[in-house]
Amino acid sequence: MATGAPFFLMRLMSSSVAVANRAGGIIRNILKTGSLGVVDKGGSGEYDPQTEADRASQKCIIASLLRTYPTVQIIGEEENVHLDDVREEFIEISQDETVLSKPCPEDLITVKPEEVTIWVDPLDGTREFTEGLYDHVTVLIGISLNGKPVAGVIHQPFYGYENETQGSKLGRTMWGVRGLGSFGFTHIPPPPGRCVITTTRSHSNGVVMEAVEAMNPDKVIKAGGAGYKVLLLLEGAADAYVFASPGCKRWDTCACEALLESVGGTLTDVCGEHVTYDPQADSYVNKTGVLGSLKDHKIYVDMIPESIKSNLRGKL
């Protein structure tokens, strides 16, 4: 590990943590207004809600990061953000001192702004947000280098809301860097011999459930948002995240993969292939699904029926 002045990647991570916290506050404030401004952006016949909180959170994250790092490439889920069109009160230029106090991994010291791509899901779990399942909501900021995740932030804006008391603080932020570790939560390894699977709550179908049932699970947890499902893995509530269908996008999984890898876990498609985070790709859809685990990843890959894998490969 290197010591001394913070290198670019650690400065970017410190900004990302601060911005995620600010975005979480914006999401909470919009909920308090009672007017979510929901629109359906789905074009394939499936309901795909977007709220004012999604839009405002993305403006905050992208405009804030571009203000500080104007040469980075940022890809977000929602519409394009132009810095000149974002109100000043949405801009967050502070940095998180805890992140800045950490050393930069040796292999990331020379990373330059123009070499990274930042993948932003400003509000993961939008449908659950509109239905009042606030613990499923996360803000995701992932950083990739040469197509591979190297760092990520997962912020839960409503963490603690079910036990909220007057004056209590809502929200928490988890972050990790390849080669450094993870922070902001207590990692709980899964107990041996258990098989708890988490999968989609709102995008299920027969194939998705066939893949889940092939694991012979002790329990299935249906949850919204990739970020929340990965948190279930990180904190030991589930052993594997299985979604054998197209649907998740790169901005859903970049931060998640970085956090999982920071604790020794793995995230791939259901065929066991790593996602490539190419900003020039024709599509940002993870067409061959998502499979995440904390250990024994190949065992989970091998349990996915070959018919499902072949079918998903055929759609590439």
Side-chain angles (χ1 to χ4, degrees):
M1 299 290 184
T3 59
F7 293 94
F8 162 69
L9 187 76
M10 298 309 293
R11 288 188 284 113
L12 177 59
M13 278 302 296
S14 70
S15 296
S16 297
V17 168
V19 169
N21 288 331
R22 178 65 179 279
I26 289 172
I27 292 168
R28 290 191 296 270
N29 287 338
I30 289 174
L31 179 64
K32 289 178 183 177
T33 69
S35 178
L36 296 184
V38 181
V39 298
D40 182 5
K41 62 176 185 176
S44 60
E46 183 177 3
Y47 179 54
D48 188 9
Q50 179 199 75
T51 71
E52 180 58 29
D54 294 79
R55 298 184 287 271
S57 176
Q58 174 146 312
K59 288 177 182 177
C60 168
I61 295 168
I62 294 182
S64 297
L65 293 177
L66 286 178
R67 171 72 65 85
T68 307
Y69 311 99
T71 60
V72 298
Q73 181 167 18
I74 306 177
I75 298 174
E77 178 177 6
E78 312 305 342
E79 64 268 11
N80 292 333
V81 173
H82 301 286
L83 186 55
D84 294 340
D85 298 332
V86 178
R87 299 196 307 270
E88 195 64 28
E89 61 263 31
F90 276 36
I91 306 294
E92 179 62 62
I93 60 172
S94 70
Q95 294 188 314
D96 186 274
E97 293 298 327
T98 301
V99 180
L100 291 177
S101 70
K102 305 296 183 185
C104 184
E106 295 284 351
D107 65 332
L108 300 175
I109 285 174
T110 61
V111 173
K112 298 179 177 61
E114 57 272 17
E115 295 176 329
V116 304
T117 302
I118 303 171
W119 303 83
V120 175
D121 190 336
L123 197 162
D124 189 37
T126 299
R127 183 176 297 193
E128 286 67 31
F129 177 58
T130 65
E131 296 174 1
L133 298 173
Y134 303 124
D135 52 339
H136 295 231
V137 175
T138 60
V139 175
L140 304 176
I141 304 176
I143 300 169
S144 67
L145 174 69
N146 298 323
K148 297 180 179 180
V150 294
V153 178
I154 301 178
H155 173 72
Q156 267 189 305
F158 299 101
Y159 180 75
Y161 85 97
E162 291 181 323
N163 300 309
E164 184 181 6
T165 59
Q166 187 172 2
S168 63
K169 183 179 179 181
L170 291 182
R172 64 170 174 169
T173 303
M174 295 133 284
W175 63 277
V177 177
R178 187 185 71 191
L180 178 63
S182 57
F183 306 88
F185 67 99
T186 300
H187 169 51
I188 302 174
R194 188 189 70 174
C195 184
V196 175
I197 303 299
T198 183
T199 191
T200 181
R201 171 182 174 270
S202 54
H203 301 284
S204 190
N205 57 44
V207 174
V208 169
M209 292 313 300
E210 180 186 351
V212 169
E213 290 162 4
M215 306 286 171
N216 192 26
D218 302 313
K219 180 181 179 181
V220 176
I221 302 174
K222 293 187 176 182
Y228 181 64
K229 287 189 276 289
V230 167
L231 289 182
L232 294 175
L233 300 185
L234 294 172
E235 296 192 314
D239 302 297
Y241 163 22
V242 180
F243 182 57
S245 176
C248 277
K249 314 293 196 305
R250 305 294 199 267
W251 45 72
D252 292 311
T253 54
C254 185
C256 293
E257 183 171 350
L259 263 292
L260 266 181
E261 289 196 345
S262 73
V263 298
T266 307
L267 188 144
T268 66
D269 67 7
V270 299
C271 304
E273 300 294 328
H274 282 277
V275 177
T276 300
Y277 294 87
D278 178 6
Q280 307 304 322
D282 294 335
S283 171
Y284 299 138
V285 176
N286 297 339
K287 296 180 180 179
T288 43
V290 178
L291 180 62
S293 67
L294 281 172
K295 64 178 185 178
D296 301 326
H297 193 74
K298 187 176 185 303
I299 292 176
Y300 290 111
V301 172
D302 290 344
M303 284 194 287
I304 300 288
E306 285 300 324
S307 58
I308 293 178
K309 295 175 184 176
S310 297
N311 182 55
L312 290 173
R313 289 192 192 104
K315 295 178 179 179
L316 293 177

